[in-house]
Amino acid sequence: MKRYYQAMLQNDIPLGQSENVNYVSEASVQNCQQIREEVDVDKLPIDPAKRKSIYDSHVNDREKIRRFYLQKGPCQPKIEFPRRIFGEKKRRFVVTWYKEHPGWLEYSVSEHSVYCLCCYLFKPERGGQSGGDVFVTEGFTNWKEALRKFREHVGDVNSVHNKCVKACQDLMHQNQHIELALSNQTIQTRLDYRTRLIATIDVVRLCLSQALAFRGHDESEESNKKGNFLTFLQFLADHNEEIKRVVLDKAPENNKLTSPDIQKDVVKAMAVETTKIILSELGGDLFSILVDESRDISVKEQMIVLLRYVDKSGCIVERFLGVVHNMKSRRGVL
């Protein structure tokens, strides 16, 4: 029973829909884990020329990779930069360019070329401004035209580069995002659902343990006798503010977890887990089956099934398994 409810709580599955859930085996989960291992940021290359495209990484790992590189900052080593011949002069990278473009300009020691960190992280996989890929995949090395090319790459306010810079700033300041507000709201909804589900389970357990009927003849808001289930749930809410905030009239109309179908679903789950415990206690020892039949007021034959065995302490134990409707007897009577 514990595993059953953990699966529901972790996946936020309404109990009334549990019969339609296709549970995945542990072997399938292990196979999926073998297909994709979570990225290890400590092994990501710092040199921009050695990085693979951000879009070659799994979609679930991209934000983690982006955060890692933004926290590290652009790769800006201060070394003896090699000279290259351009026309009649030898030119090299100038270290003061770092200060002029501190947030995005980075230098590759392996290729001796420069890249744009922001465009690497957020530039669209296809499309973008002309020449933008030079600062993402190829690396820029024309030091003679460097200042002009840097200005062209940055462009105006609506350029691809500036949009990438804005995306980097937004990622590092997500507390200002409406997406984060919606995410927090979703988390709170899940916590409320968990509290509501646990309250429902506790009341069902109480009714079962005391062999009490669940429903009443009149469960409307005006009724003074709504049945044991709703009465106990209201009692629980009156003595716990956290539960009171999310159950009954405080719960969403389509997610109250109080309908007869929900109650029956929880009872079935408990019956399954209880049967597992009985069989585990029985082990491989000998046992006998006790069966008795009786007809209820609706002229239905019902068969009571019990197990009788000796437990590990040497005591004779009888365990009730359930009531089965005997359809054959019913047809014979009718």
Side-chain angles (χ1 to χ4, degrees):
M1 183 170 63
K2 182 178 180 181
R3 294 192 299 272
Y4 178 87
Y5 292 124
Q6 283 178 343
M8 287 191 172
L9 293 172
Q10 291 171 1
N11 295 282
D12 297 320
I13 302 170
L15 289 175
Q17 301 175 6
S18 60
E19 294 180 358
N20 299 324
V21 177
N22 295 322
Y23 291 99
V24 182
S25 65
E26 294 183 2
S28 300
V29 173
Q30 291 176 356
N31 290 337
C32 292
Q33 292 174 345
Q34 292 174 359
I35 293 174
R36 184 186 76 85
E37 294 183 359
E38 189 174 357
V39 65
D40 185 358
V41 294
D42 294 331
K43 296 182 180 179
L44 293 175
I46 302 301
D47 192 312
K50 296 181 179 180
R51 302 171 188 159
K52 67 178 183 179
S53 171
I54 189 72
Y55 296 103
D56 290 339
S57 302
H58 194 277
V59 64
N60 293 339
D61 293 332
R62 291 174 190 171
E63 182 172 334
K64 186 176 182 180
I65 295 173
R66 286 168 175 149
R67 284 183 177 277
F68 170 77
Y69 282 121
L70 287 175
Q71 289 171 351
K72 276 281 187 182
C75 179
Q76 297 181 342
K78 296 179 181 179
I79 59 174
E80 186 66 29
F81 299 105
R83 296 178 181 271
R84 293 184 179 180
I85 298 176
F86 293 91
E88 298 179 353
K89 292 185 178 180
K90 288 185 176 181
R91 300 178 184 272
R92 66 179 180 180
F93 179 84
V94 180
V95 71
T96 56
W97 292 342
Y98 288 151
K99 296 181 180 180
E100 296 175 12
H101 307 283
W104 63 269
L105 186 64
E106 51 183 359
Y107 187 91
S108 168
V109 177
S110 62
E111 297 294 333
H112 296 291
S113 54
V114 295
Y115 295 80
C116 175
L117 175 62
C118 297
C119 289
Y120 164 72
L121 296 177
F122 282 101
K123 186 176 182 294
E125 191 171 7
R126 296 180 182 178
Q129 65 201 64
S130 177
D133 286 335
V134 175
F135 290 91
V136 177
T137 57
E138 303 170 15
F140 180 80
T141 58
N142 188 355
W143 310 132
K144 182 179 179 180
E145 302 290 334
L147 295 178
R148 181 175 65 84
K149 288 294 184 181
F150 290 167
R151 288 194 296 268
E152 289 181 0
H153 175 73
V154 173
D156 59 17
V157 176
N158 295 320
S159 67
V160 174
H161 170 82
N162 282 318
K163 289 180 180 178
C164 294
V165 172
K166 183 65 167 59
C168 292
Q169 294 172 349
D170 290 343
L171 180 62
M172 299 308 291
H173 299 86
Q174 283 193 343
N175 58 338
Q176 302 174 0
H177 275 200
I178 188 171
E179 289 88 350
L180 182 62
L182 292 175
S183 175
N184 290 338
Q185 185 177 3
T186 302
I187 293 173
Q188 186 60 47
T189 302
R190 292 179 178 179
L191 293 175
D192 292 347
Y193 177 82
R194 181 188 294 268
T195 303
R196 190 158 51 249
L197 176 58
I198 293 174
T200 297
I201 293 172
D202 287 343
V203 174
V204 170
R205 289 178 60 189
L206 176 62
C207 291
L208 288 176
S209 64
Q210 299 300 314
L212 298 174
F214 280 59
R215 303 185 64 189
H217 293 292
D218 184 4
E219 295 185 345
S220 63
E221 292 292 332
E222 298 77 16
S223 175
N224 293 325
K225 295 183 178 181
K226 300 179 182 179
N228 291 321
F229 178 85
L230 292 179
T231 301
F232 291 153
L233 186 60
Q234 183 64 62
F235 178 85
L236 193 61
D238 291 340
H239 291 76
N240 189 306
E241 290 298 327
E242 183 179 358
I243 295 176
K244 186 176 183 179
R245 184 178 54 83
V246 297
V247 300
L248 297 174
D249 59 325
K250 304 296 183 181
E253 287 294 331
N254 61 344
N255 194 13
K256 290 182 177 294
L257 299 181
T258 57
S259 70
D261 290 339
I262 297 295
Q263 297 172 24
K264 291 176 182 178
D265 202 2
V266 176
V267 171
K268 289 178 182 178
M270 292 182 176
V272 169
E273 296 302 323
T274 303
T275 302
K276 290 181 180 178
I277 294 174
I278 294 173
L279 296 178
S280 175
E281 185 182 75
L282 179 62
D285 296 335
L286 298 176
F287 63 93
S288 61
I289 300 177
L290 303 180
V291 178
D292 192 12
E293 284 187 333
S294 65
R295 185 184 303 176
D296 63 12
I297 193 171
S298 61
V299 199
K300 294 180 181 178
E301 289 285 346
Q302 298 188 23
M303 183 170 64
I304 312 299
V305 181
L306 297 94
L307 291 183
R308 182 183 175 94
Y309 58 93
V310 179
D311 65 9
K312 296 179 180 179
S313 302
C315 299
I316 299 176
V317 179
E318 291 184 358
R319 299 296 187 192
F320 172 78
L321 282 185
V323 179
V324 181
H325 289 291
N326 193 332
M327 301 303 295
K328 273 189 175 182
S329 298
R330 181 184 174 187
R331 285 196 296 267
V333 171
L334 295 177

